[in-house]
Amino acid sequence: MGGGAQGGAFSRGTADTDIIFDPGNFNMRAGVTYVAPHREFDKNPVAGLVGTSYTSDYAIPSAAIKLNLADNFRCAGTIVDNNGGAARYAVPKLSGKLEEEFTTNEKALTCGVKFQAGPGNFWLLGGGYMENFTYHRENLFGTRGPTTPDATLNLDGQEFGYRVGLAYEITDIALRGQVMYRSGTQYGADGMLEAPAIALAQALARQGVPNAMNPYAALPPGMQVPVEALGFGNLPQTVEFKFQSGIAPGWLGFASVKWSDWSTLTALDVRSKPSAGFPNGVPISSDIYKWRDGWTVTGGVGHAFNDSVSGLVSLTWDRGVSTGWDLSGDAYTLVLGGLVKDPLGGELRGGVGFSYLSSASETQYFGPNGEDLNQSVKAGYAVALNLGYNIKW
């Protein structure tokens, strides 16, 4: 839940590969986290956006199934929405953007083989994943009226990657240290853009294409034109170290540190597909990020109140990744969670998280005459609710 508030960059959920370590020959657990963030503009070149929140609520589903294939070998299938972003603006931004949303969904298979080493077990972990990318954007230029979006962009893509890791555990004292690497992805997602002819003509004009060679210049300005489009962008590789240990009877301490190379995402570029007149396609838009790498640090403690009820509390710091091109600041998240075992042998899990989202400002945007076009947001918050169920045989 700590990552769900999306304080730094687009991180959301993480594959539940820890199910590999759970006792039992067959384990299943599933859950969903619902996140409601709130961030308000306190500065914007569009006066109607000042004082409004643009962050949309979203849900993060997660599920995992683990099967022991041998005494020392087991595999887990996982599914999770691992990255995403969602925004809707009260009135269009200067670019005309009204709504934007993207999600990546990861489906993965991760296996582990263990070897006895001293008082505990040494694990080798690894597997592959398939990641699906979906993107939707709406712009309003006014050719259909003051409230009806007249430009829409939809992109889809699919990429593959892998994760590898090492772990050591001593189950008698609930000690486990683990490091996991996950590869990044590079997208060339494709889809369709539908936009008014005047917007497409202006996009070509900005590239220096004269009207005589501009196929959209002679069309009626408000005519809707479908264009095959491509989107390009990178999502990060990550390295995460996690540690836990029993610290007293019924008490468990845990901590994690995660590095994400968000600096690989410099921009999301959208251009038309190559054609006879434009072999390299035509640039349509570019959302600039130029982020720095992200760091996420979590620490917490868990306690078993009795054989059936346990609870935990944790605190997470997620470093903002903005470098003046975007509005991603630091986030601090407090999580309270609980677990109740039922008579059927399952576990009902739930929790609530509250995030403080620090203020952030852009510094890189100025008009042709030096006018300040930068945005800023004041400190905000996010509330997250989680509910899940775990069962094993």
Side-chain angles (χ1 to χ4, degrees), residues 44 61 167 175 209 253 296 349 367:
N44 199 290
L175 182 147
V209 178
T296 306
R349 301 179 175 197

Side-chain angles (χ1 to χ4, degrees), residues 7 9 11 27 45 89 113 117 126 158 167 224-225 252 288-289 291 294 323 328:
S11 298
N27 303 62
Y89 303 97
V113 57
Q158 186 179 85
Q224 292 297 114
V225 181
L252 180 80
I288 301 174
Y289 299 104
W291 279 339
T323 60
S328 176

